[in-house]
Amino acid sequence: MNYIEPHGHMVSRTTADYERMALAGCVAISEPAFWAGFDRDSVKGFYDYFRQLTEYEPARAKKFGIAHFCWICINPKEGDDPGFAREVIEIIPDFLKKPNVLGVGEIGLNKNTKNELIILEAQIDLAVKHNQLILVHTPHLEDKRKGTRIIMDALLNHGGVEPDRVLIDHVEEHTVAEVLDKGFWAGMTLYPETKCTTQRAADIIEMYGTERLWMNSACDWGISDPLAVPKARMELKRRGHSEAAIKRLTYDNPHTFLSQSPNFNLPG
Amino acid sequence: MNYDASCPLTYADIVDAYFLEHRAKVLDIAAFLDRLERAADGPAEKDDFRVAALREALLLLSDGDGERAKRVLDLLSDATETMPQSAANAKFALGAAPEVGQ
Ligand SMILES: [Zn+2]
């Protein structure tokens, strides 16, 4: 069964991972811009990274029959330096015109700071002005609930954001209801140590339904698993969920959300 | 939210499928608490706030009420409303809020 990996940091993965994902049924990947594990020293560092996302990764994915899409932004961690972040934001509009770009993301908060919020608000405005989808990163530990609430306030206070064009990622049991109730899409990140396990993701689906919800592996440079989505499908199957429900979560839902961008076209 | 009867497996199926894995996780927690007592510099006079929060979470698991995962996450959440100006004045995320269990 085909699936979409809607949040995978492929710049951190080997080519063998692309092959394994293709063998497991992955037909498309959407890759948000994120923190590379170190703070970049110049705007040029971001320029090179955005080229990697818009030129090199699509070519690498294509060899395995996987369509590669991406999101452009300055991540919340490096957004904590507003002067530098504004310089990076200046080069983003040119990249939003690239054919595999789906929107602005993953923007959000990392340590719930005022500086991060300034840059989050600037990038929400950038997305609205350029009619782009938004992909949101939420903090990972004790700061998640607070951060998720501040982010949702910023999105709704802007006035120009349509919640069904925004996906708020890394939800867990204490944030999923608020995100869905406000009309946003929600993403569950299957991550072995923090975030959500496949069993808990299946539990959340059972309690909150399959509407406006997706699952992703993140598969970044941390301890993570590029096959987490197919493993979550196995978990749902083991519990007796229907093929239709599993397809809805791992193919139809990401397809529906991402198709709001005119750039999201899958061959066939 | 749909809570009652939302998992398609029967009670017996759930026990058969998951019991051993969670038995092992309980043993891990037990051994972790033992390890703290066996620390090279002796057991702490006062629990680290994270350990205190974990002990509180363990009590919550056996209080008989539902939505345990959500309630544990709420218990471990930062409940303050203030925002530091920059990450330089922000604390490192450690998995529990210092206020819990104090
Ligand atoms: Zn990410």
Side-chain angles (χ1 to χ4, degrees):
Chain A
M1 195 200 282
N2 290 347
Y3 77 94
I4 294 169
E5 170 54 76
H7 185 147
H9 294 292
M10 301 310 292
V11 297
S12 303
R13 311 309 307 191
T14 63
T15 304
D17 286 337
Y18 270 114
E19 184 183 38
R20 293 199 299 146
M21 292 170 78
L23 288 168
C26 181
V27 293
I29 296 169
S30 105
E31 172 159 8
F34 81 144
W35 186 58
F38 62 96
D39 289 348
R40 277 156 281 217
D41 200 39
S42 67
V43 176
K44 191 76 175 61
F46 280 88
Y47 179 86
D48 289 342
Y49 175 51
F50 297 158
R51 281 192 63 206
Q52 191 179 9
L53 292 175
T54 53
E55 296 172 29
Y56 300 104
E57 287 307 321
R60 215 154 69 103
K62 200 175 172 198
K63 289 186 187 133
F64 300 94
I66 296 175
H68 180 280
F69 303 92
C70 72
W71 305 72
I72 302 293
C73 76
I74 176 161
N75 61 83
K77 185 162 169 45
E78 285 165 290
D80 193 55
D81 178 350
F84 177 63
R86 284 189 199 288
E87 287 178 44
V88 175
I89 290 171
E90 276 180 35
I91 69 168
I92 291 177
D94 277 346
F95 283 95
L96 296 178
K97 296 174 195 147
K98 300 277 183 180
N100 75 327
V101 174
L102 301 177
V104 175
E106 50 185 306
I107 56 173
L109 296 173
N110 178 53
K111 291 251 192 319
N112 299 334
T113 73
K114 289 178 185 166
N115 284 349
E116 291 168 6
L117 182 59
I118 290 166
I119 294 307
L120 168 65
E121 288 169 340
Q123 294 193 99
I124 291 170
D125 193 53
L126 178 82
V128 170
K129 286 203 171 107
H130 289 82
N131 197 27
Q132 298 288 314
L133 297 177
I134 294 175
L135 183 60
V136 171
H137 165 92
T138 54
H140 292 316
L141 293 167
E142 74 273 17
D143 37 13
K144 181 184 294 292
R145 190 182 64 186
K146 175 179 173 180
T148 303
R149 288 175 179 168
I150 297 169
I151 292 166
M152 290 194 294
D153 285 346
L155 286 160
L156 296 172
N157 289 342
H158 180 277
V161 173
E162 295 168 50
D164 63 352
R165 288 172 57 81
V166 179
L167 184 132
I168 298 186
D169 219 329
H170 322 317
V171 299
E172 291 183 75
E173 288 87 343
H174 59 328
T175 55
V176 60
E178 289 179 44
V179 168
L180 292 174
D181 286 349
K182 289 187 160 64
F184 298 108
W185 282 70
M188 290 179 291
T189 299
L190 308 164
Y191 214 70
E193 287 177 4
T194 55
K195 307 168 194 165
C196 199
T197 61
T198 51
Q199 289 179 19
R200 281 174 51 216
D203 294 329
I204 290 171
I205 289 158
E206 288 163 358
M207 292 186 282
Y208 294 94
T210 56
E211 226 174 282
R212 279 183 287 120
L213 202 56
W214 80 25
M215 294 185 288
N216 59 77
S217 75
C219 63
D220 51 24
W221 43 262
I223 297 169
S224 55
D225 180 2
L227 296 184
V229 172
K231 285 176 185 171
R233 294 202 312 189
M234 263 172 54
E235 174 65 21
L236 289 164
K237 200 170 171 180
R238 164 201 204 184
R239 295 190 186 190
H241 289 281
S242 68
E243 290 284 315
I246 297 170
K247 178 171 175 281
R248 195 176 312 136
L249 280 156
T250 59
Y251 186 89
D252 299 339
N253 282 0
H255 194 283
T256 301
F257 177 76
L258 300 173
S259 291
Q260 296 182 90
S261 162
N263 286 350
F264 188 77
N265 294 300
L266 291 188
Chain B
M1 200 219 359
N2 184 12
Y3 198 77
D4 296 331
S6 51
C7 180
L9 296 174
T10 65
Y11 183 95
D13 286 340
I14 294 173
V15 176
D16 287 344
Y18 301 109
F19 175 74
L20 281 179
E21 184 182 335
H22 292 91
R23 176 184 186 273
K25 288 181 181 175
V26 169
L27 287 168
D28 273 342
I29 295 170
F32 168 65
L33 296 175
D34 289 346
R35 202 174 308 140
L36 289 170
E37 280 180 4
R38 297 189 298 102
D41 54 352
E45 265 172 38
K46 187 168 179 282
D47 267 333
D48 178 279
F49 72 92
R50 289 164 293 182
V51 179
L54 190 73
R55 290 191 202 277
E56 220 176 294
L58 292 171
L59 291 175
L60 181 158
L61 298 187
S62 46
D63 68 4
D65 291 333
E67 289 197 80
R68 293 167 189 81
K70 176 183 184 297
R71 290 192 294 130
V72 167
L73 284 165
D74 279 331
L75 175 75
L76 299 176
S77 288
D78 176 2
T80 64
E81 307 226 319
T82 52
M83 296 176 77
Q85 186 64 46
S86 75
N89 344 92
K91 57 189 174 22
F92 196 72
L94 294 168
E99 307 79 39
V100 184
Q102 295 300 297

mmCIF file of all heavy atoms in Angstrom, chain A residues 12 14-15 23 49 55 61 67 77-78 83 98 110 117 119 148 158 165 169 179 185 213 219 223 252-253 267:
data_model
loop_
_atom_site.group_PDB
_atom_site.id
_atom_site.type_symbol
_atom_site.label_atom_id
_atom_site.label_comp_id
_atom_site.label_asym_id
_atom_site.label_seq_id
_atom_site.Cartn_x
_atom_site.Cartn_y
_atom_site.Cartn_z
ATOM 1 N N SER A 12 19.199 14.546 6.343
ATOM 2 C CA SER A 12 19.922 13.807 7.391
ATOM 3 C C SER A 12 20.006 12.314 7.112
ATOM 4 O O SER A 12 20.561 11.572 7.917
ATOM 5 C CB SER A 12 19.210 13.977 8.737
ATOM 6 O OG SER A 12 19.095 15.316 9.079
ATOM 7 N N THR A 14 20.553 8.702 4.699
ATOM 8 C CA THR A 14 21.376 8.146 3.622
ATOM 9 C C THR A 14 20.509 7.807 2.416
ATOM 10 O O THR A 14 19.284 7.716 2.520
ATOM 11 C CB THR A 14 22.056 6.841 4.085
ATOM 12 O OG1 THR A 14 21.018 5.891 4.370
ATOM 13 C CG2 THR A 14 22.903 7.064 5.316
ATOM 14 N N THR A 15 21.151 7.571 1.303
ATOM 15 C CA THR A 15 20.434 7.158 0.108
ATOM 16 C C THR A 15 19.797 5.782 0.319
ATOM 17 O O THR A 15 18.726 5.487 -0.219
ATOM 18 C CB THR A 15 21.398 7.158 -1.093
ATOM 19 O OG1 THR A 15 21.968 8.474 -1.190
ATOM 20 C CG2 THR A 15 20.685 6.839 -2.392
ATOM 21 N N LEU A 23 10.817 0.907 -0.832
ATOM 22 C CA LEU A 23 10.416 -0.505 -0.740
ATOM 23 C C LEU A 23 9.212 -0.683 0.185
ATOM 24 O O LEU A 23 8.404 -1.598 -0.002
ATOM 25 C CB LEU A 23 11.593 -1.355 -0.220
ATOM 26 C CG LEU A 23 12.742 -1.567 -1.204
ATOM 27 C CD1 LEU A 23 13.960 -2.165 -0.495
ATOM 28 C CD2 LEU A 23 12.293 -2.465 -2.357
ATOM 29 N N TYR A 49 21.335 25.654 2.077
ATOM 30 C CA TYR A 49 20.390 24.654 2.592
ATOM 31 C C TYR A 49 19.090 24.676 1.774
ATOM 32 O O TYR A 49 18.552 23.620 1.417
ATOM 33 C CB TYR A 49 20.124 24.946 4.075
ATOM 34 C CG TYR A 49 19.073 24.084 4.717
ATOM 35 C CD1 TYR A 49 19.101 22.687 4.619
ATOM 36 C CD2 TYR A 49 18.032 24.659 5.449
ATOM 37 C CE1 TYR A 49 18.133 21.904 5.231
ATOM 38 C CE2 TYR A 49 17.069 23.879 6.072
ATOM 39 C CZ TYR A 49 17.118 22.503 5.949
ATOM 40 O OH TYR A 49 16.157 21.735 6.559
ATOM 41 N N GLU A 55 16.624 21.581 -4.849
ATOM 42 C CA GLU A 55 17.274 21.042 -6.050
ATOM 43 C C GLU A 55 17.830 19.625 -5.859
ATOM 44 O O GLU A 55 17.534 18.733 -6.636
ATOM 45 C CB GLU A 55 18.422 21.965 -6.500
ATOM 46 C CG GLU A 55 17.929 23.347 -6.934
ATOM 47 C CD GLU A 55 19.087 24.311 -7.197
ATOM 48 O OE1 GLU A 55 20.182 23.839 -7.582
ATOM 49 O OE2 GLU A 55 18.893 25.523 -7.007
ATOM 50 N N ALA A 61 15.601 11.752 -4.439
ATOM 51 C CA ALA A 61 14.359 10.988 -4.220
ATOM 52 C C ALA A 61 13.849 10.367 -5.516
ATOM 53 O O ALA A 61 13.333 9.249 -5.531
ATOM 54 C CB ALA A 61 13.280 11.911 -3.639
ATOM 55 N N ALA A 67 8.398 11.216 -5.015
ATOM 56 C CA ALA A 67 8.272 12.652 -5.286
ATOM 57 C C ALA A 67 8.694 13.413 -4.029
ATOM 58 O O ALA A 67 8.267 13.077 -2.923
ATOM 59 C CB ALA A 67 6.829 12.992 -5.648
ATOM 60 N N LYS A 77 14.553 27.733 16.389
ATOM 61 C CA LYS A 77 15.768 27.804 17.221
ATOM 62 C C LYS A 77 16.671 28.943 16.745
ATOM 63 O O LYS A 77 17.093 29.784 17.528
ATOM 64 C CB LYS A 77 16.512 26.471 17.185
ATOM 65 C CG LYS A 77 17.703 26.436 18.120
ATOM 66 C CD LYS A 77 18.138 25.009 18.403
ATOM 67 C CE LYS A 77 19.465 24.921 19.106
ATOM 68 N NZ LYS A 77 19.664 25.826 20.213
ATOM 69 N N GLU A 78 16.920 28.981 15.433
ATOM 70 C CA GLU A 78 17.768 30.056 14.923
ATOM 71 C C GLU A 78 16.998 31.376 14.820
ATOM 72 O O GLU A 78 17.586 32.443 14.683
ATOM 73 C CB GLU A 78 18.395 29.645 13.584
ATOM 74 C CG GLU A 78 19.530 28.633 13.808
ATOM 75 C CD GLU A 78 19.969 27.900 12.553
ATOM 76 O OE1 GLU A 78 19.182 27.066 12.057
ATOM 77 O OE2 GLU A 78 21.088 28.150 12.074
ATOM 78 N N GLY A 83 17.494 39.766 14.494
ATOM 79 C CA GLY A 83 18.181 40.545 13.454
ATOM 80 C C GLY A 83 18.672 39.639 12.337
ATOM 81 O O GLY A 83 18.409 39.876 11.146
ATOM 82 N N LYS A 98 9.893 28.132 -6.147
ATOM 83 C CA LYS A 98 10.439 26.875 -6.693
ATOM 84 C C LYS A 98 9.336 25.825 -6.809
ATOM 85 O O LYS A 98 8.417 25.784 -5.992
ATOM 86 C CB LYS A 98 11.560 26.344 -5.784
ATOM 87 C CG LYS A 98 12.719 27.300 -5.622
ATOM 88 C CD LYS A 98 13.686 27.189 -6.768
ATOM 89 C CE LYS A 98 14.881 28.120 -6.520
ATOM 90 N NZ LYS A 98 15.851 28.041 -7.621
ATOM 91 N N ASN A 110 10.566 27.169 19.960
ATOM 92 C CA ASN A 110 11.472 26.153 20.474
ATOM 93 C C ASN A 110 11.567 26.248 21.992
ATOM 94 O O ASN A 110 11.284 25.298 22.707
ATOM 95 C CB ASN A 110 12.848 26.339 19.816
ATOM 96 C CG ASN A 110 13.863 25.354 20.322
ATOM 97 O OD1 ASN A 110 13.609 24.154 20.304
ATOM 98 N ND2 ASN A 110 14.999 25.838 20.786
ATOM 99 N N LEU A 117 8.922 34.367 19.109
ATOM 100 C CA LEU A 117 7.553 34.759 18.744
ATOM 101 C C LEU A 117 7.554 35.878 17.692
ATOM 102 O O LEU A 117 6.745 35.863 16.762
ATOM 103 C CB LEU A 117 6.785 35.181 20.004
ATOM 104 C CG LEU A 117 5.317 35.581 19.798
ATOM 105 C CD1 LEU A 117 4.501 34.433 19.193
ATOM 106 C CD2 LEU A 117 4.688 36.022 21.137
ATOM 107 N N ILE A 119 9.720 36.342 15.356
ATOM 108 C CA ILE A 119 10.054 35.758 14.052
ATOM 109 C C ILE A 119 8.947 34.810 13.577
ATOM 110 O O ILE A 119 8.662 34.712 12.377
ATOM 111 C CB ILE A 119 11.439 35.072 14.126
ATOM 112 C CG1 ILE A 119 12.518 36.142 14.353
ATOM 113 C CG2 ILE A 119 11.753 34.269 12.872
ATOM 114 C CD1 ILE A 119 12.494 37.307 13.350
ATOM 115 N N THR A 148 2.383 25.388 22.262
ATOM 116 C CA THR A 148 1.316 25.138 21.284
ATOM 117 C C THR A 148 0.224 26.196 21.419
ATOM 118 O O THR A 148 -0.286 26.705 20.418
ATOM 119 C CB THR A 148 0.732 23.722 21.489
ATOM 120 O OG1 THR A 148 1.792 22.764 21.383
ATOM 121 C CG2 THR A 148 -0.327 23.402 20.448
ATOM 122 N N HIS A 158 -3.443 36.803 13.883
ATOM 123 C CA HIS A 158 -2.990 37.456 12.653
ATOM 124 C C HIS A 158 -4.163 38.000 11.855
ATOM 125 O O HIS A 158 -4.101 39.105 11.299
ATOM 126 C CB HIS A 158 -2.170 36.489 11.793
ATOM 127 C CG HIS A 158 -1.690 37.112 10.511
ATOM 128 N ND1 HIS A 158 -2.483 37.197 9.387
ATOM 129 C CD2 HIS A 158 -0.518 37.713 10.188
ATOM 130 C CE1 HIS A 158 -1.815 37.817 8.422
ATOM 131 N NE2 HIS A 158 -0.611 38.130 8.888
ATOM 132 N N ARG A 165 -5.546 25.570 6.526
ATOM 133 C CA ARG A 165 -4.331 25.619 5.700
ATOM 134 C C ARG A 165 -3.065 25.574 6.566
ATOM 135 O O ARG A 165 -1.959 25.835 6.103
ATOM 136 C CB ARG A 165 -4.328 26.887 4.816
ATOM 137 C CG ARG A 165 -5.362 26.794 3.673
ATOM 138 C CD ARG A 165 -5.497 28.110 2.914
ATOM 139 N NE ARG A 165 -4.255 28.598 2.344
ATOM 140 C CZ ARG A 165 -3.717 28.180 1.190
ATOM 141 N NH1 ARG A 165 -4.330 27.238 0.483
ATOM 142 N NH2 ARG A 165 -2.587 28.694 0.755
ATOM 143 N N ASP A 169 2.309 20.378 14.105
ATOM 144 C CA ASP A 169 2.925 19.052 14.223
ATOM 145 C C ASP A 169 3.391 18.754 15.636
ATOM 146 O O ASP A 169 3.429 19.623 16.494
ATOM 147 C CB ASP A 169 4.094 18.929 13.235
ATOM 148 C CG ASP A 169 4.127 17.531 12.625
ATOM 149 O OD1 ASP A 169 3.730 16.569 13.303
ATOM 150 O OD2 ASP A 169 4.543 17.406 11.464
ATOM 151 N N VAL A 179 -5.851 21.593 19.307
ATOM 152 C CA VAL A 179 -5.446 21.890 17.926
ATOM 153 C C VAL A 179 -6.605 21.595 16.959
ATOM 154 O O VAL A 179 -6.963 22.420 16.120
ATOM 155 C CB VAL A 179 -4.190 21.068 17.549
ATOM 156 C CG1 VAL A 179 -3.915 21.127 16.049
ATOM 157 C CG2 VAL A 179 -2.975 21.574 18.334
ATOM 158 N N TRP A 185 -5.118 21.407 11.229
ATOM 159 C CA TRP A 185 -4.709 20.017 11.067
ATOM 160 C C TRP A 185 -3.684 19.693 12.156
ATOM 161 O O TRP A 185 -3.004 20.601 12.662
ATOM 162 C CB TRP A 185 -4.066 19.811 9.690
ATOM 163 C CG TRP A 185 -5.034 19.721 8.562
ATOM 164 C CD1 TRP A 185 -5.800 20.744 8.058
ATOM 165 C CD2 TRP A 185 -5.350 18.560 7.786
ATOM 166 N NE1 TRP A 185 -6.555 20.282 7.009
ATOM 167 C CE2 TRP A 185 -6.297 18.953 6.819
ATOM 168 C CE3 TRP A 185 -4.906 17.239 7.794
ATOM 169 C CZ2 TRP A 185 -6.816 18.058 5.886
ATOM 170 C CZ3 TRP A 185 -5.423 16.348 6.868
ATOM 171 C CH2 TRP A 185 -6.373 16.759 5.932
ATOM 172 N N LEU A 213 -5.864 14.620 10.599
ATOM 173 C CA LEU A 213 -4.769 14.075 11.391
ATOM 174 C C LEU A 213 -3.822 13.303 10.468
ATOM 175 O O LEU A 213 -4.292 12.592 9.576
ATOM 176 C CB LEU A 213 -5.377 13.132 12.425
ATOM 177 C CG LEU A 213 -4.614 12.793 13.694
ATOM 178 C CD1 LEU A 213 -4.232 14.037 14.477
ATOM 179 C CD2 LEU A 213 -5.472 11.879 14.578
ATOM 180 N N CYS A 219 12.191 11.640 10.932
ATOM 181 C CA CYS A 219 13.468 11.043 10.466
ATOM 182 C C CYS A 219 14.556 12.101 10.242
ATOM 183 O O CYS A 219 15.047 12.286 9.149
ATOM 184 C CB CYS A 219 13.290 10.111 9.277
ATOM 185 S SG CYS A 219 12.675 10.744 7.732
ATOM 186 N N ILE A 223 17.850 10.265 17.041
ATOM 187 C CA ILE A 223 17.523 8.840 16.995
ATOM 188 C C ILE A 223 16.089 8.736 16.498
ATOM 189 O O ILE A 223 15.141 9.072 17.220
ATOM 190 C CB ILE A 223 17.690 8.198 18.389
ATOM 191 C CG1 ILE A 223 19.150 8.286 18.833
ATOM 192 C CG2 ILE A 223 17.207 6.741 18.368
ATOM 193 C CD1 ILE A 223 19.379 7.924 20.284
ATOM 194 N N ASP A 252 -4.398 9.454 2.171
ATOM 195 C CA ASP A 252 -5.433 10.428 1.784
ATOM 196 C C ASP A 252 -5.307 11.743 2.556
ATOM 197 O O ASP A 252 -5.414 12.819 1.965
ATOM 198 C CB ASP A 252 -6.835 9.851 2.018
ATOM 199 C CG ASP A 252 -7.090 8.592 1.197
ATOM 200 O OD1 ASP A 252 -6.381 8.398 0.183
ATOM 201 O OD2 ASP A 252 -7.989 7.816 1.564
ATOM 202 N N ASN A 253 -5.115 11.660 3.876
ATOM 203 C CA ASN A 253 -5.062 12.897 4.672
ATOM 204 C C ASN A 253 -3.891 13.796 4.285
ATOM 205 O O ASN A 253 -4.099 14.982 4.014
ATOM 206 C CB ASN A 253 -5.033 12.578 6.174
ATOM 207 C CG ASN A 253 -6.416 12.219 6.698
ATOM 208 O OD1 ASN A 253 -7.398 12.201 5.952
ATOM 209 N ND2 ASN A 253 -6.500 11.932 7.982
ATOM 210 N N PRO A 267 2.622 11.997 -9.621
ATOM 211 C CA PRO A 267 2.443 11.340 -10.913
ATOM 212 C C PRO A 267 1.474 10.162 -10.799
ATOM 213 O O PRO A 267 1.482 9.455 -9.797
ATOM 214 C CB PRO A 267 3.858 10.852 -11.266
ATOM 215 C CG PRO A 267 4.664 10.941 -10.023
ATOM 216 C CD PRO A 267 3.990 11.881 -9.089
#
